[in-house]
Amino acid sequence: MMAETSVHRPGAQPPDNRVSERAAESTFREVDDTERAIPAIEFREVTMVFDDRKVLDNLSFKVMKGETKIILGGSGCGKSTTIKLVLGLLKPDSGKILVDGEDITNYSEVEMMRVRKKIGMIFQEGALFDSLSVYENVAFKLHEQGVPEDQVENEVRRMLRFVNLEPAIDKMPAELSGGMRRRVGIARALVGDPKIVMFDEPTAGLDPPTARTICELAMKLRDLEDVSSIFVTHEMNNLDYLTSEYAVVNEAGEVVFETEGEKLCLINCKVLMMRDGQVIFSGTDETLRKADDTYIQKFLRGH
Amino acid sequence: MNIFKRLLLELQEMSLLSARAALGIFKKPRYIPEAIAQMDSIGVGSLTIIILTGFFTGGVLTLQTYQTLASYGATDQLGYLVSISLVRELGPVLTALMVTGRVVSAISAELGSMVVSEQIDAMRALGTDPNRKLVAPRLIALIVTLPLLTLVADVMGIAGGWAVSTFLYDLPSTMFINSVRDGITTDDIIGGIIKPLVFAFLMGTIACHKGLKTEGGTVGVGRSTTTAVVTASIIVIIADFFLAKALQVILGTQP
Ligand SMILES: Nc1ncnc2c1ncn2[C@@H]1O[C@H](COP(=O)(O)OP(=O)(O)OP(=O)(O)O)[C@@H](O)[C@H]1O
Ligand SMILES: [Mg+2]
């Protein structure tokens, strides 16, 4: 049951899929397309104040289409806050936030609902509805849209299979372990194939194989589905996986993960490092590792 | 920020909350199953405590009034006096207070823990407006069930009064019933329905507002639950005074 080798995310058609081909292409080369020139997410000098304390200080960055932005940074430096701003769950005190080129800064709750449809969010603590079963949690969005029940069930089962949790379908969140809750949260966020996904420390506190599964999931979304994402993490091995491996479909139609070589270099995975609400590094993992900032080196090596 | 400003701000927020919830009723998807589930938990769930409260309040009222009436030789007015205080005042207010203790606390605690465990944020992130999914069904359920519960309390109170007058004081059973029937007017009954409607609206708004405003983890949930219950209880009693006055003017029962 562990090694789920389905080629695609549920809902998409296996191998011969245009989006996937082009996505795979954009893994290594800039794809020339004006549509793709618009960042999926853009922060322009965003400042956020909580109780007279600047949690985000003039934060600016871009996440391009099909790109995964890994956000690193110490506890309390404002990573979760950044993610919540993208979804409009919080409003910045100044600056602009753009999603797919659309300025959402001053959107009302009603307008935000439309934008949120294309974003999937995985909360740090799972944030499952504890009065609803696993099934109802994952089905929440579909139930709200009034999708017929047999279709809902199909989709929910496929999503849960995707995170290896189909047997837990009838459980209540209180009966799940932390890692299971997190994975239900992932399944719930990915219903409806969002083009932008926010991962807030999805692997914290999970055993290495499960953590690896979640990273593989993020890579599949990035390389095969052309999803843009923000991946907040503290785990250095997550960084290694995401920046050095990529997902491809082999001749047998299975998804395999290959390591980038001398010639091929992943360009759809960038790293952003934050400290006290400011960007202290932005670029590829290679330059990050070579950076001579002592804080960065300490963060990477742990001493 | 001074107290006055804070009070105005709270009032504004509560009005906005109830307005949003009210507007949500007319848009799709409508959360009818949610509202019915709430009616079940609020209405049916509160039935036992309301029956007990009503019965014993009517009983004790009779117990205390009998002595006074007997000294004037007016025990044939017992049913009238007891039922009028029940229908006009004690029924609506006691029901509202009992429901506040049971339901307002439950609502603000539930919404509060949903806030601190980020479930409200998750709901918004999934494209659902918590005002419509959570607030509106609770408000509607309260507005529908509180008048019914009040009615139950009134009837049980009269039954309690009748039981005491018949079995404890050995008054003829028809005497109590007849004086109830002759005493109560339609105006009393209308007033007895309008009051719980207003109370339900106020209680529901306060409960949801305090719950959704919860800050600071589980400690915050406890705090907002306490504030919600205290505020709702006081508001019910204050509102009762002004409603009584307003009803006197509107129904022309003023001397
Ligand atoms: N609702 C709030 N009210 C006041 N301060 C807050 C609030 N939410 C967050 N903060 C503060 O903002 C800062 C950033 O919080 P945030 O949750 O974004 O950190 P983080 O980078 O995600 O940390 P972690 O890695 O521990 O999850 C913290 O110092 C926190 O104290
Ligand atoms: Mg965080």
Side-chain angles (χ1 to χ4, degrees), chain A residues 8 51 98 157 194 219 228 263:
Chain A
H8 273 252
D51 315 321
L98 292 89
R157 284 193 180 279
M219 288 187 268
S228 322
K263 281 174 250 161

Side-chain angles (χ1 to χ4, degrees), chain B residues 7-38:
Chain B
L7 200 73
L8 278 182
L9 194 71
E10 292 253 310
L11 265 179
Q12 183 195 8
E13 282 175 347
M14 285 191 210
S15 328
L16 275 176
L17 182 77
S18 49
R20 270 196 224 110
L23 283 177
I25 297 170
F26 302 106
K27 274 189 265 167
K28 279 190 178 173
R30 297 201 185 88
Y31 296 103
I32 295 170
E34 275 84 352
I36 292 174
Q38 288 299 323

Side-chain angles (χ1 to χ4, degrees), chain A residues 79-81 124 200-201 232:
Chain A
K79 304 180 298 294
S80 297
T81 307
Q124 196 166 355
D200 196 351
E201 297 187 33
V232 172

Side-chain angles (χ1 to χ4, degrees), chain A residues 6-37:
Chain A
S6 97
V7 178
H8 273 252
R9 300 187 43 219
Q13 282 300 306
D16 59 343
N17 181 309
R18 284 256 184 80
V19 180
S20 299
E21 268 171 35
R22 198 179 62 177
E25 198 181 343
S26 69
T27 309
F28 308 107
R29 263 192 306 120
E30 300 275 1
V31 180
D32 186 31
D33 185 341
T34 40
E35 254 294 292
R36 299 187 69 82

Side-chain angles (χ1 to χ4, degrees), chain A residues 50-51 53 55 73-82 124 201 234:
Chain A
F50 275 133
D51 315 321
R53 205 170 70 82
V55 172
S75 205
C77 70
K79 304 180 298 294
S80 297
T81 307
T82 307
Q124 196 166 355
E201 297 187 33
H234 283 306

Side-chain angles (χ1 to χ4, degrees), chain A residues 179-205:
Chain A
M180 288 161 97
R181 295 171 65 92
R182 198 82 54 78
R183 282 183 286 157
V184 175
I186 293 177
R188 183 178 70 180
L190 298 183
V191 165
D193 302 309
K195 285 316 249 178
I196 301 175
V197 179
M198 308 281 137
F199 294 90
D200 196 351
E201 297 187 33
T203 61

